[in-house]
Amino acid sequence: MLLGLMRKHAQSWLIKFMIAMIVVVFVLYFGYSFNSDEGIKVAEVNGESISRAEYELAKNNMLERYREEYKSIWSDDIARMLDVKNRALEALVEQKIVSQEAKKLGLSVTENEIRNEILKEDYFFSDGIFDENRYRALLTGAHTTPEAFEKSIAKSLLQQKLIQFLTTFLVPGEQEILDYYKYANEKVKLGFVKFSPDDFKDTVEKDRDAVNTYFEENKEAYRAPEKIKIAYLRISPSSYADDIKPTEDQLKKYYEDNKDLFLQENQVKASHILFKVAPDASPEDEKKIEEKAKSILEKAKKGEDFAELAKKYSEDTSSVNGGDVGYFSRKSGYVKPFVDAAFNLKKGEISDLVKSEYGYHIIKVDDIKDEQVKSFYEVKSQIMSTMKSEGAIEKAADKAQDLIAQMPYDVDLKEYASLSEALYNTTGFFSKDKPASVVRGDRKLLDSLFSLDKNDVTDLVELNNDYFIIQVVDKNDSYLPTLDEVYPSVESDYVDSIALKKAKAEADNYLKALKEGAKWEDLAKEKARVIDSTDFFTRNGSPGKIGSVPGIQEAAFKLNADNLYPEKTFENSSAAFVIKWEEYQDMDKAKYEEDKEKYTESLLLRKQQETWVDWIEKMKAKADIEMDKSRL
């Protein structure tokens, strides 16, 4: 094992590896392979066995990961939903293939490589010396052993070498990078005519037989969802805030112990004059704006009143205050060119023209504050608020833990609340899609609650800074309603669907006329249709006023000046559309040079991921894999 080697060389190693990352990613994804030929066999990959013991260990580690992620809302139903049993086995099969293929290529991992990978952070060191007891304790806390931990690292390093081998020659070429950038950043602008179903609703006959047929064809859309009703105890820190009363000495001690929290960075107080440049301004227009800015800069440099110049010429909202934007630090959120320029000026100095995404700035620094620690009396009220908040949270957490610890097994939460003086409340019935406000926005919690049986109680749940104990007090199963139960809704949907079909048919006829030679403007006038245009948009962008319409981006980028119209019309749930190519906007070549490195890295990563996934799938397809899932 490596422990002896570690002790010998510990003082000279730099430790940068994060144990949590290794345990979560390496162990949980790749599993373990030791003792793979012992015990009951659950799978075989090219003649090599995966034992039941090995599988159980991998599965349990995966479960441990998910328990940590889902915390108090974890349940067996969620484990089944995540399909942990099969995912653990699939991960072991892939790990076995990686090991076999690496061996064929002569790839291996040495003890020194494992050691160097482990010792890259100071988790295992005490006072600069490797601490074996700490090493073992940390691994025990992560539910593993040094042997298993080192084997998992070896597997990960082996995979890294295999990825490097497979992707060594995947360096994107210049043209490939350019094409990748162009594909992502070229833009198109469309004209369009919208055909709204609202224009056709009055022509739809509301025939009950037709509505019934529509209902039978779409019955699942009207399925009443499963609903639950919950009761809950809420333990809120806000209830204890008034009980927390720090003394003057406690406030001062907090200040002394946390002075770094009250460090005020360098700040400058500045004024500016802004000359806006529109994003789509032509070079000629921008040149005119720049010349105007230079003329005002000359006036400011000659000593004319800066505030008056700002009031007269600045196009920023700060102009009413003479351009004053107040004090700010480097992390203020102002655009970088503005901040950099301001911090390079001395008090009273005026900058040259500064170009930002907004246009041209003339900046004057009015005052400078050096870095300093705020005094106790400046931050006293802040400390008071922090200590009251932290104390209230601690008190609420203690109360919540006491309630959980003392709660009987078969509890009636309402009765328990009256005995414990906890705040009790209930909801009406709600579904996953329309949850009660108290649990809205927490999908994992909702999944957990809907997996509980009636009268089941959660463990302690932390939600929106409060603590909750939740009981499912009633459940209504999902069911298919009769037509009479939902007739108004079905009839409305039927009318919408027929109206949309009529709108689509009208749009199809409109497009046909255009393709047969009708002029865009003339046809719109003849049919009393309104022509509109989108803004420029990329393949991944939205065509603005049209909204989300399946397939429209792909079609738009196949059009050009010689091919104005697509082969079909487009529709979403709200309308049908006939589109026409209007204008193409090429990528910004100057921006390409700025972004080239970022896009090169993105393309390389994408190619590596695609190559790796492709390779794994091919190896799995070629491998002789036998699984006995009856033993899982």
Side-chain angles (χ1 to χ4, degrees):
M1 203 175 77
L2 293 176
L3 285 175
L5 193 60
M6 288 178 179
R7 281 193 292 271
K8 182 178 178 182
H9 297 284
Q11 290 182 335
S12 64
W13 299 331
L14 295 174
I15 312 174
K16 294 181 182 176
F17 195 76
M18 296 178 67
I19 180 173
M21 184 76 74
I22 298 173
V23 172
V24 170
V25 179
F26 298 164
V27 177
L28 299 178
Y29 179 77
F30 294 104
Y32 298 100
S33 66
F34 56 98
N35 297 327
S36 61
D37 295 319
E38 296 177 8
I40 300 170
K41 181 174 70 176
V42 296
E44 190 172 270
V45 182
N46 295 322
E48 285 190 41
S49 298
I50 296 174
S51 71
R52 173 66 182 270
E54 181 182 2
Y55 164 75
E56 287 295 330
L57 195 51
K59 182 189 73 174
N60 289 338
N61 276 284
M62 189 174 281
L63 285 169
E64 188 66 29
R65 174 201 169 187
Y66 283 122
R67 282 194 193 97
E68 180 62 27
E69 183 178 348
Y70 281 79
K71 298 187 183 299
S72 60
I73 61 176
W74 175 256
S75 70
D76 290 341
D77 283 333
I78 292 178
R80 283 191 290 273
M81 179 182 71
L82 293 170
D83 196 21
V84 172
K85 286 185 176 181
N86 288 314
R87 290 174 72 178
L89 184 57
E90 287 292 335
L92 283 171
V93 168
E94 290 185 10
Q95 175 264 312
K96 188 69 72 176
I97 288 172
V98 168
S99 177
Q100 291 171 352
E101 294 303 317
K103 188 175 181 180
K104 288 179 188 177
L105 293 168
L107 302 176
S108 61
V109 177
T110 67
E111 281 196 345
N112 274 346
E113 287 174 318
I114 299 170
R115 177 200 69 197
N116 290 336
E117 197 66 21
I118 293 173
L119 304 176
K120 288 182 178 178
E121 276 291 351
D122 57 0
Y123 288 100
F124 305 135
F125 275 45
S126 295
D127 299 324
I129 300 173
F130 177 77
D131 188 332
E132 180 180 342
N133 291 330
R134 182 174 177 78
Y135 178 71
R136 290 183 178 279
L138 286 170
L139 294 182
T140 299
H143 307 290
T144 188
T145 64
E147 292 86 354
F149 181 57
E150 291 155 19
K151 285 179 182 291
S152 71
I153 294 172
K155 289 181 179 70
S156 175
L157 289 173
L158 196 61
Q159 190 217 16
Q160 290 175 26
K161 288 188 177 186
L162 189 53
I163 291 175
Q164 187 176 12
F165 176 84
L166 293 171
T167 62
T168 297
F169 301 105
L170 286 180
V171 180
E174 286 291 329
Q175 188 61 45
E176 194 175 8
I177 300 165
L178 181 63
D179 291 344
Y180 182 61
Y181 184 86
K182 185 182 181 74
Y183 186 85
N185 291 280
E186 61 184 346
K187 297 178 180 180
V188 70
K189 182 180 181 182
L190 297 176
F192 68 91
V193 175
K194 179 179 178 180
F195 296 79
S196 173
D198 292 341
D199 298 334
F200 300 90
K201 285 184 179 180
D202 291 342
T203 68
V204 179
E205 184 179 349
K206 298 177 182 178
D207 179 76
R208 186 176 178 91
D209 288 340
V211 173
N212 183 61
T213 300
Y214 178 84
F215 175 66
E216 290 299 324
E217 291 172 351
N218 299 277
K219 191 176 286 188
E220 278 298 327
Y222 301 96
R223 175 179 286 278
E226 178 187 13
K227 293 185 177 182
I228 61 174
K229 182 179 182 181
I230 63 172
Y232 57 91
L233 304 185
R234 183 199 296 261
I235 305 95
S236 177
S238 61
S239 302
Y240 299 93
D242 291 340
D243 298 340
I244 311 301
K245 298 174 181 177
T247 64
E248 186 81 359
D249 287 344
Q250 288 172 326
L251 294 172
K252 286 180 177 178
K253 185 176 187 309
Y254 186 97
Y255 173 77
E256 292 298 330
D257 292 343
N258 297 278
K259 276 190 175 180
D260 56 317
L261 298 177
F262 310 114
L263 182 67
Q264 182 175 285
E265 297 178 332
N266 289 350
Q267 291 186 316
V268 298
K269 184 176 185 290
S271 302
H272 79 135
I273 304 170
L274 172 64
F275 302 87
K276 288 185 177 179
V277 178
D280 57 351
S282 66
E284 294 78 15
D285 288 342
E286 182 171 346
K287 187 67 177 174
K288 289 178 183 177
I289 296 169
E290 184 181 8
E291 290 302 322
K292 180 182 178 183
K294 283 180 178 177
S295 68
I296 305 306
L297 174 63
E298 188 176 349
K299 291 183 179 184
K301 293 273 192 181
K302 287 181 177 178
E304 289 196 31
D305 189 285
F306 194 90
E308 290 303 318
L309 290 173
K311 287 178 181 178
K312 187 173 181 180
Y313 296 106
S314 181
E315 298 176 77
D316 187 54
T317 54
S318 64
S319 62
V320 295
N321 298 318
D324 185 4
V325 295
Y327 285 97
F328 57 90
S329 69
R330 286 188 179 275
K331 298 177 182 178
S332 61
Y334 289 141
V335 288
K336 189 174 186 301
F338 182 91
V339 172
D340 288 346
F343 274 86
N344 282 325
L345 295 173
K346 295 177 182 177
K347 183 176 178 179
E349 277 190 329
I350 296 173
S351 71
D352 292 327
L353 288 189
V354 177
K355 178 71 186 302
S356 80
E357 61 194 71
Y358 297 107
Y360 291 97
H361 306 259
I362 302 170
I363 304 168
K364 180 184 177 186
V365 168
D366 301 311
D367 194 17
I368 296 173
K369 285 184 178 179
D370 293 331
E371 181 179 272
Q372 62 178 337
V373 176
K374 293 181 180 178
S375 71
F376 169 72
Y377 292 102
E378 286 180 281
V379 295
K380 181 179 177 180
S381 61
Q382 178 185 339
I383 296 173
M384 174 70 78
S385 177
T386 300
M387 291 189 72
K388 285 175 73 69
S389 176
E390 290 177 354
I393 290 171
E394 186 176 345
K395 198 162 185 177
D398 289 344
K399 174 67 174 178
Q401 291 292 350
D402 287 344
L403 286 172
I404 281 288
Q406 297 169 22
M407 189 168 64
Y409 180 73
D410 291 319
V411 67
D412 180 312
L413 212 58
K414 185 175 184 179
E415 182 181 339
Y416 186 56
S418 64
L419 296 173
S420 59
E421 298 181 353
L423 184 62
Y424 174 85
N425 212 331
T426 61
T427 69
F429 279 99
F430 62 88
S431 65
K432 278 189 182 182
D433 292 335
K434 295 181 179 178
S437 59
V438 70
V439 292
R440 186 172 296 143
D442 195 318
R443 177 53 58 178
K444 289 179 181 177
L445 176 57
L446 280 171
D447 288 341
S448 179
L449 291 175
F450 276 84
S451 72
L452 298 177
D453 293 328
K454 184 177 177 179
N455 295 323
D456 281 354
V457 180
T458 65
D459 289 328
L460 195 62
V461 174
E462 188 174 352
L463 184 64
N464 300 324
N465 299 318
D466 288 348
Y467 298 96
F468 291 83
I469 301 169
I470 304 173
Q471 183 173 43
V472 175
V473 294
D474 207 351
K475 298 188 78 166
N476 285 339
D477 293 334
S478 171
Y479 70 95
L480 284 171
T482 65
L483 176 58
D484 287 338
E485 289 179 83
V486 290
Y487 191 86
S489 177
V490 178
E491 183 184 67
S492 176
D493 292 344
Y494 166 75
V495 170
D496 287 346
S497 71
I498 299 301
L500 182 57
K501 286 179 181 177
K502 290 191 174 193
K504 177 71 162 57
E506 186 78 7
D508 289 342
N509 289 332
Y510 196 92
L511 178 61
K512 182 180 178 184
L514 290 168
K515 284 186 159 295
E516 288 175 350
K519 300 298 182 184
W520 180 249
E521 291 82 3
D522 293 345
L523 186 61
K525 195 173 292 185
E526 178 189 333
K527 299 290 186 181
R529 289 286 167 186
V530 176
I531 293 174
D532 204 345
S533 295
T534 68
D535 294 326
F536 282 100
F537 61 92
T538 63
R539 283 180 173 83
N540 292 323
S542 169
K545 300 171 186 175
I546 293 179
S548 178
V549 180
I552 204 165
Q553 282 97 335
E554 182 182 355
F557 280 88
K558 290 179 180 177
L559 303 177
N560 53 52
D562 298 319
N563 179 30
L564 296 175
Y565 306 111
E567 292 303 313
K568 63 169 193 159
T569 58
F570 297 89
E571 65 180 289
N572 56 22
S573 60
S574 64
F577 300 89
V578 175
I579 64 171
K580 170 184 172 286
W581 182 89
E582 280 195 355
E583 197 174 346
Y584 170 80
Q585 188 178 88
D586 201 358
M587 66 176 208
D588 185 330
K589 292 180 180 178
K591 194 78 167 58
Y592 168 67
E593 293 301 327
E594 290 178 27
D595 295 342
K596 183 177 177 181
E597 185 177 348
K598 179 177 69 176
Y599 273 80
T600 302
E601 291 174 1
S602 172
L603 180 57
L604 178 59
L605 180 60
R606 177 178 166 183
K607 287 165 70 74
Q608 287 174 338
Q609 290 172 335
E610 289 173 351
T611 299
W612 176 249
V613 171
D614 215 32
W615 181 85
I616 279 286
E617 292 305 314
K618 285 178 180 176
M619 291 301 103
K620 285 168 72 174
K622 286 170 55 179
D624 182 11
I625 301 171
E626 295 179 11
M627 295 187 188
D628 185 355
K629 293 191 176 182
S630 65
R631 294 179 172 179
L632 298 187

